[in-house]
PDB file of all heavy atoms in Angstrom:
ATOM      1  N   LEU A 441      26.886  71.298  -2.390  1.00 83.00           N
ATOM      2  CA  LEU A 441      28.321  71.107  -2.677  1.00 83.00           C
ATOM      3  C   LEU A 441      29.023  70.731  -1.377  1.00 83.00           C
ATOM      4  O   LEU A 441      29.014  71.485  -0.420  1.00 83.00           O
ATOM      5  CB  LEU A 441      28.915  72.357  -3.267  1.00 83.00           C
ATOM      6  CG  LEU A 441      28.397  72.716  -4.679  1.00 83.00           C
ATOM      7  CD1 LEU A 441      28.811  74.107  -5.104  1.00 83.00           C
ATOM      8  CD2 LEU A 441      28.860  71.673  -5.710  1.00 83.00           C
ATOM      9  N   GLN A 442      29.652  69.561  -1.369  1.00 73.00           N
ATOM     10  CA  GLN A 442      30.194  69.007  -0.133  1.00 73.00           C
ATOM     11  C   GLN A 442      31.692  68.851  -0.185  1.00 73.00           C
ATOM     12  O   GLN A 442      32.317  68.828  -1.246  1.00 73.00           O
ATOM     13  CB  GLN A 442      29.593  67.632   0.123  1.00 73.00           C
ATOM     14  CG  GLN A 442      28.063  67.637   0.179  1.00 73.00           C
ATOM     15  CD  GLN A 442      27.542  68.372   1.387  1.00 73.00           C
ATOM     16  OE1 GLN A 442      28.121  68.328   2.465  1.00 73.00           O
ATOM     17  NE2 GLN A 442      26.465  69.113   1.182  1.00 73.00           N
ATOM     18  N   ALA A 443      32.292  68.759   0.979  1.00 66.00           N
ATOM     19  CA  ALA A 443      33.721  68.432   1.121  1.00 66.00           C
ATOM     20  C   ALA A 443      33.833  67.210   1.989  1.00 66.00           C
ATOM     21  O   ALA A 443      32.866  66.861   2.703  1.00 66.00           O
ATOM     22  CB  ALA A 443      34.478  69.601   1.742  1.00 66.00           C
ATOM     23  N   PRO A 444      34.978  66.498   1.966  1.00 58.00           N
ATOM     24  CA  PRO A 444      35.084  65.276   2.758  1.00 58.00           C
ATOM     25  C   PRO A 444      34.857  65.468   4.240  1.00 58.00           C
ATOM     26  O   PRO A 444      34.425  64.570   4.938  1.00 58.00           O
ATOM     27  CB  PRO A 444      36.535  64.821   2.468  1.00 58.00           C
ATOM     28  CG  PRO A 444      36.871  65.455   1.171  1.00 58.00           C
ATOM     29  CD  PRO A 444      36.172  66.759   1.144  1.00 58.00           C
ATOM     30  N   PHE A 445      35.153  66.659   4.740  1.00 55.00           N
ATOM     31  CA  PHE A 445      35.076  66.883   6.174  1.00 55.00           C
ATOM     32  C   PHE A 445      33.918  67.762   6.591  1.00 55.00           C
ATOM     33  O   PHE A 445      33.835  68.243   7.703  1.00 55.00           O
ATOM     34  CB  PHE A 445      36.395  67.508   6.687  1.00 55.00           C
ATOM     35  CG  PHE A 445      36.877  68.629   5.816  1.00 55.00           C
ATOM     36  CD1 PHE A 445      36.395  69.920   5.977  1.00 55.00           C
ATOM     37  CD2 PHE A 445      37.787  68.402   4.803  1.00 55.00           C
ATOM     38  CE1 PHE A 445      36.818  70.944   5.193  1.00 55.00           C
ATOM     39  CE2 PHE A 445      38.222  69.423   3.985  1.00 55.00           C
ATOM     40  CZ  PHE A 445      37.742  70.709   4.170  1.00 55.00           C
ATOM     41  N   LYS A 446      33.015  68.064   5.657  1.00 56.00           N
ATOM     42  CA  LYS A 446      31.842  68.812   5.957  1.00 56.00           C
ATOM     43  C   LYS A 446      30.647  68.124   5.294  1.00 56.00           C
ATOM     44  O   LYS A 446      30.816  67.254   4.453  1.00 56.00           O
ATOM     45  CB  LYS A 446      31.923  70.231   5.434  1.00 56.00           C
ATOM     46  CG  LYS A 446      33.179  71.025   5.810  1.00 56.00           C
ATOM     47  CD  LYS A 446      33.043  72.443   5.347  1.00 56.00           C
ATOM     48  CE  LYS A 446      34.313  73.229   5.546  1.00 56.00           C
ATOM     49  NZ  LYS A 446      35.298  72.987   4.489  1.00 56.00           N
ATOM     50  N   GLY A 447      29.449  68.472   5.671  1.00 53.00           N
ATOM     51  CA  GLY A 447      28.340  67.855   4.970  1.00 53.00           C
ATOM     52  C   GLY A 447      27.004  68.244   5.492  1.00 53.00           C
ATOM     53  O   GLY A 447      26.891  68.777   6.570  1.00 53.00           O
ATOM     54  N   GLY A 448      26.021  67.982   4.676  1.00 52.00           N
ATOM     55  CA  GLY A 448      24.641  68.227   5.071  1.00 52.00           C
ATOM     56  C   GLY A 448      23.884  66.901   5.112  1.00 52.00           C
ATOM     57  O   GLY A 448      24.459  65.865   5.419  1.00 52.00           O
ATOM     58  N   VAL A 449      22.639  66.930   4.786  1.00 55.00           N
ATOM     59  CA  VAL A 449      21.851  65.715   4.698  1.00 55.00           C
ATOM     60  C   VAL A 449      21.423  65.502   3.243  1.00 55.00           C
ATOM     61  O   VAL A 449      20.889  66.408   2.625  1.00 55.00           O
ATOM     62  CB  VAL A 449      20.596  65.802   5.582  1.00 55.00           C
ATOM     63  CG1 VAL A 449      19.705  64.594   5.402  1.00 55.00           C
ATOM     64  CG2 VAL A 449      21.038  65.906   7.048  1.00 55.00           C
ATOM     65  N   ILE A 450      21.720  64.338   2.716  1.00 56.00           N
ATOM     66  CA  ILE A 450      21.518  64.090   1.295  1.00 56.00           C
ATOM     67  C   ILE A 450      20.104  64.289   0.871  1.00 56.00           C
ATOM     68  O   ILE A 450      19.800  64.771  -0.231  1.00 56.00           O
ATOM     69  CB  ILE A 450      21.972  62.637   0.987  1.00 56.00           C
ATOM     70  CG1 ILE A 450      23.505  62.530   1.178  1.00 56.00           C
ATOM     71  CG2 ILE A 450      21.640  62.243  -0.444  1.00 56.00           C
ATOM     72  CD1 ILE A 450      24.036  61.118   1.165  1.00 56.00           C
ATOM     73  N   LYS A 451      19.129  63.952   1.735  1.00 61.00           N
ATOM     74  CA  LYS A 451      17.739  64.039   1.378  1.00 61.00           C
ATOM     75  C   LYS A 451      17.280  65.492   1.076  1.00 61.00           C
ATOM     76  O   LYS A 451      16.251  65.703   0.413  1.00 61.00           O
ATOM     77  CB  LYS A 451      16.876  63.508   2.518  1.00 61.00           C
ATOM     78  CG  LYS A 451      16.999  62.016   2.744  1.00 61.00           C
ATOM     79  CD  LYS A 451      16.138  61.615   3.928  1.00 61.00           C
ATOM     80  CE  LYS A 451      16.259  60.159   4.301  1.00 61.00           C
ATOM     81  NZ  LYS A 451      15.714  59.273   3.291  1.00 61.00           N
ATOM     82  N   THR A 452      17.996  66.469   1.534  1.00 61.00           N
ATOM     83  CA  THR A 452      17.484  67.849   1.503  1.00 61.00           C
ATOM     84  C   THR A 452      17.958  68.597   0.248  1.00 61.00           C
ATOM     85  O   THR A 452      17.729  69.784   0.121  1.00 61.00           O
ATOM     86  CB  THR A 452      17.922  68.625   2.731  1.00 61.00           C
ATOM     87  OG1 THR A 452      19.361  68.620   2.800  1.00 61.00           O
ATOM     88  CG2 THR A 452      17.377  67.994   3.968  1.00 61.00           C
ATOM     89  N   ALA A 453      18.607  67.955  -0.668  1.00 62.00           N
ATOM     90  CA  ALA A 453      19.048  68.616  -1.925  1.00 62.00           C
ATOM     91  C   ALA A 453      18.565  67.814  -3.134  1.00 62.00           C
ATOM     92  O   ALA A 453      18.423  66.600  -3.061  1.00 62.00           O
ATOM     93  CB  ALA A 453      20.569  68.755  -1.944  1.00 62.00           C
ATOM     94  N   HIS A 454      18.335  68.519  -4.210  1.00 73.00           N
ATOM     95  CA  HIS A 454      17.945  67.853  -5.450  1.00 73.00           C
ATOM     96  C   HIS A 454      19.092  66.965  -5.940  1.00 73.00           C
ATOM     97  O   HIS A 454      18.873  65.847  -6.416  1.00 73.00           O
ATOM     98  CB  HIS A 454      17.609  68.882  -6.513  1.00 73.00           C
ATOM     99  CG  HIS A 454      17.268  68.298  -7.860  1.00 73.00           C
ATOM    100  ND1 HIS A 454      16.074  67.720  -8.132  1.00 73.00           N
ATOM    101  CD2 HIS A 454      18.006  68.209  -9.008  1.00 73.00           C
ATOM    102  CE1 HIS A 454      16.053  67.278  -9.400  1.00 73.00           C
ATOM    103  NE2 HIS A 454      17.232  67.597  -9.930  1.00 73.00           N
ATOM    104  N   THR A 455      20.326  67.430  -5.766  1.00 76.00           N
ATOM    105  CA  THR A 455      21.480  66.663  -6.158  1.00 76.00           C
ATOM    106  C   THR A 455      22.686  67.142  -5.366  1.00 76.00           C
ATOM    107  O   THR A 455      22.658  68.203  -4.750  1.00 76.00           O
ATOM    108  CB  THR A 455      21.750  66.783  -7.681  1.00 76.00           C
ATOM    109  OG1 THR A 455      22.751  65.827  -8.038  1.00 76.00           O
ATOM    110  CG2 THR A 455      22.188  68.184  -8.029  1.00 76.00           C
ATOM    111  N   ILE A 456      23.766  66.362  -5.378  1.00 76.00           N
ATOM    112  CA  ILE A 456      24.950  66.692  -4.604  1.00 76.00           C
ATOM    113  C   ILE A 456      26.166  66.740  -5.522  1.00 76.00           C
ATOM    114  O   ILE A 456      26.217  65.993  -6.519  1.00 76.00           O
ATOM    115  CB  ILE A 456      25.195  65.701  -3.453  1.00 76.00           C
ATOM    116  CG1 ILE A 456      25.265  64.250  -3.964  1.00 76.00           C
ATOM    117  CG2 ILE A 456      24.154  65.829  -2.369  1.00 76.00           C
ATOM    118  CD1 ILE A 456      25.652  63.244  -2.927  1.00 76.00           C
ATOM    119  N   GLY A 457      27.098  67.580  -5.207  1.00 74.00           N
ATOM    120  CA  GLY A 457      28.375  67.651  -5.907  1.00 74.00           C
ATOM    121  C   GLY A 457      29.482  67.747  -4.870  1.00 74.00           C
ATOM    122  O   GLY A 457      29.260  67.600  -3.704  1.00 74.00           O
TER     123      GLY A 457
END
Side-chain angles (χ1 to χ4, degrees):
L441 293 169
Q442 304 293 322
F445 45 85
K446 308 186 187 81
V449 174
I450 294 169
K451 292 178 182 293
T452 59
H454 177 77
T455 189
I456 56 174

